[in-house]
Amino acid sequence: MEDRLREAGHQVELCENEDQALAAAARGWSDVVVLDLDLPMAAGGSLVRAVRDLEEGRPPRVLAISGPLEAKERVEVLRAGADDLLVRPIHFDELVLRVDRLSRSGHTDPMVLEGSLATYSLWELLQPLVEARRRGRLMVWGRRGGGSVEISGHGRVVAAAWERLSGAEALLALLGVEEGSFRFVAAPSAPPEEEGERREGLEVQRALLEAAWLKDELDRRAESVPATGEPLAESGLTLLPSPEPDLPALPVVEVLQRVRQTPGTRLFDLLAANLAAPQRVLLTVAWLCEKGVLVPHDPDARDGEAASTVEITRQELLDSALDDLVWTARERGIRSDPVSILLLAEPAAWRRLTALFTEVEEGWRPDVLPPLLVALRSGSGGSCVLATEEGEVALHVRLLDEASQARIAAVAPACAGAVVWLGGKDGSPTFRRVAGRFDLSEHGVGFAVAASEESSETIRRVLAEHPRWRLVPEAPRNLLAVFRLLRGGGSSPPAGR
């Protein structure tokens, strides 16, 4: 919570108990007090009342946070004087939004602007914010992902991010999002020395012109854009046509390399790879298809049933990978429901493991992931159950240290698979200890270990003692890669799935 509030521009003071909270509130500098009411309700209500009854200075606004409450208990907290109430699990963006609203109470200048891109396009939003020199962050969520734009008090866009893209390419990608939502959170004025720093800005006007031009070109070439789920292949042309003079630099080489290296690559795969802004990738593929360089993998497919043009989302891919994981477990004789999976990381690699869940926090399994993320960010670990059409998957995420060995030993025998992240220079003793716990189980779907470069050679030698495990050359970069890694070399699911 502290990190998110600081990122949003707030100054934060942490208090460990009721006395510290009252003393801090009494100093009178706080606009908002966030009270965690994991206390007996009577004590929680008393603390809210004590903060609101402070006589010196102006009383701060109070945001109370609690576990699940009955309706009458929620009323009791609000009656005690809380201005707002959040019930776990908490979405961190909502926390920031609630604090922003409370902290601007009595001000006419809105701190938060949010809505749908169907009502206001990013084009219409960005220019007025820049011209008004509104310092803050504009966050955008679309079907293919999300990103943000950072605006300085000098009226410049100083940073942009979209998935794994950044800078001018990310700004162009954001300007191409037509369906989704946005939220602009204004940041307080920066200190003079910070605001005086001249950070290099991104050329907004140039990005707007290029985004508009790309949209026109894609509309003109719409018939040449293949379906997102249609496999692509090279036609065999030995001479690549010369680019048209009016086309900007397109990622032609990157697209062709990806198609060559991965047979059956779909347009969706090219977009998900973040080779460039999605509009530039789409135009590249359309141009290559128009020139006959790329063709559908099965040229006869167009004569039969039309290829699906439904957009494949990352959430759908994750759900499909979970289904495949459960199906593979059933195929291999694992009848437990849920199918249990263990994810372990040494302290040096814990942040990387936690980041995999942070990536899909927005929009995927909102009833399951936020509570797990709270547990992971505490540094100890946690568990969750993910339901699929095929069954259920229980993910047990644990920190791999001496204190957790007993808990790992209790969970390991029931697990159908495991992935271990090693972060030290020599993880072989740790790996031996973990791998030995799975050697007695008869069935499994996948067992993998990701080690640092210094530790890889020693781990490779240890693998001879544990043949069901395999060393992966680099750690999985997202949760989808983890699910596919766990499925290992299982046979394909039944046709039609």
Side-chain angles (χ1 to χ4, degrees):
M1 292 184 192
E2 179 189 14
D3 289 344
R4 289 298 183 93
L5 289 170
R6 287 190 186 281
E7 285 177 6
H10 297 283
Q11 293 177 288
V12 183
E13 179 178 353
L14 295 181
C15 302
E16 296 181 0
N17 53 50
E18 294 90 327
D19 292 338
Q20 286 187 17
L22 284 172
R27 286 196 289 272
W29 70 267
S30 302
D31 295 307
V32 181
V33 175
V34 180
L35 291 178
D36 192 324
L37 299 183
D38 269 355
L39 303 163
M41 189 47 60
S46 298
L47 184 55
V48 172
R49 278 189 290 271
V51 170
R52 295 311 303 269
D53 290 344
L54 291 170
E55 295 181 0
E56 297 182 7
R58 59 178 177 81
R61 311 303 296 274
V62 176
L63 170 60
I65 294 176
S66 78
L69 296 176
E70 298 290 338
K72 62 180 181 180
E73 294 175 317
R74 292 198 296 270
V75 171
E76 185 179 339
V77 173
L78 296 172
R79 186 176 291 144
D83 297 284
D84 202 351
L85 174 64
L86 269 178
V87 177
R88 290 188 180 85
I90 298 169
H91 193 293
F92 286 109
D93 285 342
E94 183 180 6
L95 169 71
V96 171
L97 180 62
R98 300 281 188 103
V99 171
D100 285 336
R101 284 176 173 169
L102 290 176
S103 64
R104 75 169 188 261
S105 178
H107 298 273
T108 57
D109 186 27
M111 294 285 287
V112 177
L113 174 68
E114 58 185 337
S116 169
L117 291 173
T119 305
Y120 298 100
S121 70
L122 198 62
W123 309 36
E124 297 171 301
L125 286 166
L126 195 55
Q127 281 185 306
L129 290 172
V130 169
E131 290 169 2
R133 300 193 174 193
R134 296 297 306 276
R135 183 173 183 266
R137 177 176 295 175
L138 178 61
M139 294 169 284
V140 176
W141 295 273
R143 281 184 59 82
R144 293 196 186 108
S148 63
V149 176
E150 185 180 342
I151 304 173
S152 77
H154 294 293
R156 296 194 307 273
V157 171
V158 294
W162 168 267
E163 297 297 292
R164 293 194 296 274
L165 298 176
S166 61
E169 203 69 29
L171 179 58
L172 184 60
L174 286 162
L175 290 170
V177 181
E178 296 181 343
E179 295 182 12
S181 59
F182 68 86
R183 180 184 295 125
F184 175 74
V185 179
S189 299
E193 62 275 11
E194 179 185 329
E195 197 60 73
E197 292 179 3
R198 291 288 171 178
R199 298 172 64 185
E200 185 177 350
L202 300 175
E203 297 183 35
V204 176
Q205 198 59 39
R206 179 177 177 180
L208 286 168
L209 290 172
E210 185 173 356
W213 183 86
L214 283 167
K215 186 177 188 305
D216 290 342
E217 281 295 309
L218 283 169
D219 288 343
R220 187 167 68 85
R221 302 169 189 261
E223 292 185 0
S224 299
V225 180
T228 56
E230 189 170 19
L232 298 168
E234 289 187 274
S235 64
L237 289 177
T238 56
L239 187 63
L240 189 67
S242 300
E244 297 175 19
D246 59 342
L247 286 177
L250 296 177
V252 173
V253 174
E254 292 87 344
V255 167
L256 289 177
Q257 281 180 343
R258 185 59 64 107
V259 173
R260 288 168 187 158
Q261 292 170 359
T262 312
T265 293
R266 304 159 300 167
L267 177 55
F268 173 81
D269 299 319
L270 294 172
L271 294 170
N274 291 296
L275 304 174
Q279 311 98 297
R280 296 214 299 131
V281 174
L282 284 168
L283 183 56
T284 301
V285 173
W287 180 75
L288 289 171
C289 289
E290 198 175 75
K291 298 299 181 182
V293 179
L294 289 181
V295 295
H297 190 64
D298 180 4
D300 298 327
R302 293 187 184 273
D303 298 333
E305 184 179 350
S308 170
T309 57
V310 175
E311 191 71 51
I312 304 171
T313 65
R314 181 167 51 183
Q315 286 71 31
E316 290 168 337
L317 282 175
L318 284 161
D319 286 335
S320 176
L322 276 175
D323 281 338
D324 290 349
L325 182 58
V326 175
W327 186 88
T328 303
R330 300 287 180 262
E331 181 200 41
R332 297 185 179 181
I334 300 169
R335 302 301 173 194
S336 58
D337 197 10
V339 175
S340 293
I341 300 296
L342 188 57
L343 307 181
L344 301 170
E346 286 188 310
W350 181 251
R351 186 182 293 270
R352 275 188 293 165
L353 174 55
T354 303
L356 303 184
F357 292 89
T358 305
E359 179 200 5
V360 295
E361 175 184 1
E362 187 70 42
W364 190 65
R365 308 294 177 104
D367 56 327
V368 175
L369 284 188
L372 176 62
L373 275 165
V374 171
L376 298 186
R377 286 168 179 155
S378 72
S380 58
S383 301
C384 71
V385 176
L386 304 171
T388 80
E389 291 184 5
E390 296 288 328
E392 292 184 333
V393 174
L395 290 182
H396 306 285
V397 189
R398 296 286 181 266
L399 182 66
L400 191 50
D401 59 9
E402 285 301 320
S404 64
Q405 287 296 335
R407 298 176 68 186
I408 294 171
V411 174
C415 287
V419 181
V420 178
W421 283 257
L422 299 176
K425 291 185 177 180
D426 182 9
S428 55
T430 302
F431 173 65
R432 271 197 179 96
R433 191 170 179 182
V434 171
R437 302 190 189 281
F438 292 88
D439 287 343
L440 298 178
S441 59
E442 298 179 2
H443 304 288
V445 287
F447 297 90
V449 55
S452 62
E453 194 171 328
E454 302 94 327
S455 183
S456 291
E457 191 55 42
T458 57
I459 295 297
R460 193 171 282 108
R461 291 195 292 268
V462 175
L463 287 178
E465 306 167 19
H466 306 281
R468 66 162 44 180
W469 289 80
R470 60 179 173 135
L471 178 66
V472 293
E474 62 178 25
R477 295 185 177 181
N478 52 51
L479 204 54
L480 178 61
V482 173
F483 294 155
R484 289 176 170 171
L485 181 63
L486 281 163
R487 185 172 171 264
S491 61
S492 299
R497 284 197 65 252

